[in-house]
Amino acid sequence: MSRSRVTFLTVLAALIALPLFTVAQTPEERGLQIAREAKARDTGWGDSKSTLTMTLTNRHGESSTRQIRNASLEVPGDGDKSLIVFDQPADVKGTALLSFSHLAAPDDQWLYLPALKRVKRISSKNKSGSFMGSEFAYEDISGDEPEKYNHRYLRDETIDGVDCFVVERDPVDPDSGYSRQEVAWDKEHYRPMRVVYYDRKGSLLKTLTYGGYKQHSGRFWRAGRFHMVNHQTDKETVLEWTDYAFGTGLQDSDFTQAALKRAR
């Protein structure tokens, strides 16, 4: 066999061994892929219950605490449902927030105020407002389905020794209080590690960090601590989550406006 034919066959074999198509992802495609993978890793949990301690700290370092119960229901083909109920202190006892997250449509939220004995619907234009005086907005309480944002991969970053993807996501909802967010997911489990929020003017507003992760039911990761810092007001809110339980038998009937009034 001639040398030229051997060379040709060698090159041909190398070409055959290559993938048929090697198409580089755009930052937008990669960002969306990461967000979808993070969502896929956290599906199938059904329903859950947990308890929370909310600690509010003002710019002078003065703190107050609240005790909260949380119930959540996974809804196939749509966003999740959640019910948050305040148990302590006495001035907020019985206050409850019902949220229906949706894939693309604006979320539905209702707040029950026991002092007035009525349910107040939270309009889309008010979802950027503070939830019960905390540094969490109403829109932070609802779901973060990938369909709610335009995504763009920014960079890789190491956060507290953990390798992460950092993705910019811009809210689709024109009534959002944010112009954009930067979300860091860890590369191994796709758990959120940090979210940086920018206000409508594009200025740095808040940073949310997650910690104390534990795995439940051998699959689902939940953070034990959410720490939200408002850089513009120097206020902070910490949520500490305990007593997680999955598969508790919750149903749609547990997440209605009637159930909202009974949740105390």
Side-chain angles (χ1 to χ4, degrees):
M1 184 180 295
S2 69
R3 181 178 179 182
S4 62
R5 181 165 177 77
V6 171
T7 302
F8 171 75
L9 292 175
T10 302
V11 172
L12 180 61
L15 290 173
I16 292 173
L18 291 173
L20 290 178
F21 299 99
T22 304
V23 180
Q25 286 183 307
T26 66
E28 290 75 16
E29 290 170 339
R30 190 178 183 193
L32 179 58
Q33 181 187 53
I34 292 169
R36 285 177 171 171
E37 179 64 21
K39 183 64 178 180
R41 296 283 187 103
D42 191 42
T43 57
W45 47 268
D47 69 82
S48 70
K49 291 182 178 180
S50 57
T51 57
L52 299 85
T53 299
M54 174 187 281
T55 302
L56 311 176
T57 304
N58 65 22
R59 65 191 311 162
H60 304 295
E62 301 166 332
S63 298
S64 60
T65 61
R66 298 168 176 179
Q67 300 299 319
I68 305 170
R69 285 175 285 136
N70 180 71
S72 299
L73 181 68
E74 191 174 30
V75 181
D78 201 359
D80 306 328
K81 297 181 179 180
S82 67
L83 178 61
I84 297 172
V85 184
F86 287 78
D87 290 328
Q88 294 180 15
D91 60 341
V92 296
K93 180 178 175 61
T95 302
L97 177 70
L98 177 65
S99 299
F100 289 4
S101 179
H102 302 296
L103 293 183
D107 296 339
D108 295 309
Q109 290 182 305
W110 299 269
L111 182 68
Y112 177 67
L113 302 170
L116 302 178
K117 296 184 178 180
R118 72 180 184 90
V119 174
K120 174 186 176 183
R121 184 181 181 89
I122 307 299
S123 69
S124 295
K125 294 184 178 181
N126 291 331
K127 290 180 181 177
S128 61
S130 167
F131 171 59
M132 296 295 290
S134 74
E135 298 315 301
F136 288 84
Y138 283 97
E139 64 180 299
D140 301 334
I141 304 297
S142 56
D144 59 351
E145 283 71 29
E147 292 81 0
K148 294 181 180 295
Y149 305 93
N150 294 314
H151 297 82
R152 184 168 66 94
Y153 167 77
L154 295 179
R155 62 186 179 273
D156 290 354
E157 184 176 336
T158 300
I159 299 175
D160 295 332
V162 178
D163 292 333
C164 298
F165 303 108
V166 180
V167 175
E168 178 184 275
R169 62 184 188 187
D170 303 338
V172 175
D173 186 353
D175 292 321
S176 173
Y178 310 116
S179 59
R180 65 187 180 95
Q181 304 169 15
E182 291 185 9
V183 186
W185 283 287
D186 79 85
K187 293 184 178 181
E188 182 177 3
H189 302 292
Y190 286 79
R191 303 169 302 187
M193 302 296 292
R194 183 188 68 202
V195 183
V196 181
Y197 301 86
Y198 294 83
D199 65 20
R200 290 172 177 165
K201 296 179 180 179
S203 300
L204 175 63
L205 176 60
K206 302 185 297 188
T207 298
L208 172 62
T209 54
Y210 299 82
Y213 271 102
K214 291 183 180 179
Q215 192 175 39
H216 301 268
S217 303
R219 178 181 172 188
F220 306 111
W221 290 94
R222 294 291 182 271
R225 180 182 173 90
F226 292 16
H227 185 191
M228 183 75 87
V229 177
N230 190 315
H231 302 289
Q232 297 183 4
T233 65
D234 292 329
K235 295 180 180 180
E236 302 180 16
T237 298
V238 173
L239 297 178
E240 295 177 287
W241 303 70
T242 56
D243 303 324
Y244 270 109
F246 291 82
T248 63
L250 293 171
Q251 300 177 356
D252 281 323
S253 58
D254 296 308
F255 298 86
T256 64
Q257 292 188 47
L260 184 64
K261 297 178 181 180
R262 299 193 303 266
R264 55 181 183 274

